[in-house]
Amino acid sequence: MKPSLYCFSVADLCRQRIRAIKISRRLIVPRLIIHTVRLGRYENRNPFFLMALPKRNRNTAMHEELRAKSMQLMTHFDIHATLNDILHYQPHSKYSDTTERRMLPISKGSSLLRKWQGSRNCQTLPIPFDYCICQYEKKNVTNELLKRVLGFFVADELNRTLERMGYAEKCLKQEYKKAIDIEELQVGVNTLYTVYVVLQPSNGLFSV
């Protein structure tokens, strides 16, 4: 069955292109470190979603709702709400009901098959700012002292978490090594930071 709705991310298209080059030319393509660039992190944390409607539901009001939502912000909670809608509510209307419906208490999300109400952004939806792809006005942190303070904070929090979970004796204590990317976002009176740093001796990339 041919899907009626396609949503591909840039990262997926790039992976397909690289795979095709490998097959056709038998070249060894260097591995792309996608998380080292901001756009790559957006793509890595927001995988594409594909949904195919049965033939009888195409070119209907429900189909139009899905088309409209292909360009809107959605969450995993919305997918959960959609599955519950399909199981519990849509059978009564033979999968034709597109009126807005609150899915609580069975789900925190909103069904993709129904109309949505209100604005949808990272401040109104249960999306951590670390995973937010909304283009809020953010500032790059360039102050080296602030970078170090935030970097040491990440390392200390990681060490405390490992100790609290009983892994302190099994894991090496981590220390701040360098900052990859740090952004500052002002939300009302609150200042939020998105921090990507490398810790040592693991040389691992950590983010908060």
Side-chain angles (χ1 to χ4, degrees), residues 17-31:
R17 178 60 177 163
I18 291 174
R19 193 175 296 117
I21 292 174
K22 285 183 177 179
I23 294 173
S24 62
R25 299 183 181 179
R26 296 184 179 180
L27 295 177
I28 300 176
V29 180
R31 183 180 178 184

Side-chain angles (χ1 to χ4, degrees), residues 74-112:
M74 66 179 68
T75 72
H76 297 82
F77 294 109
D78 298 325
I79 298 174
H80 179 260
T82 303
L83 295 175
N84 276 283
D85 192 17
I86 292 172
L87 286 172
H88 301 296
Y89 301 115
Q90 289 295 343
H92 302 297
S93 66
K94 296 183 179 180
Y95 301 91
S96 62
D97 188 0
T98 60
T99 58
E100 190 270 340
R101 183 188 184 109
R102 290 180 61 82
M103 300 299 292
L104 292 172
I106 62 174
S107 180
K108 297 179 181 179
S110 301
S111 173
L112 301 175

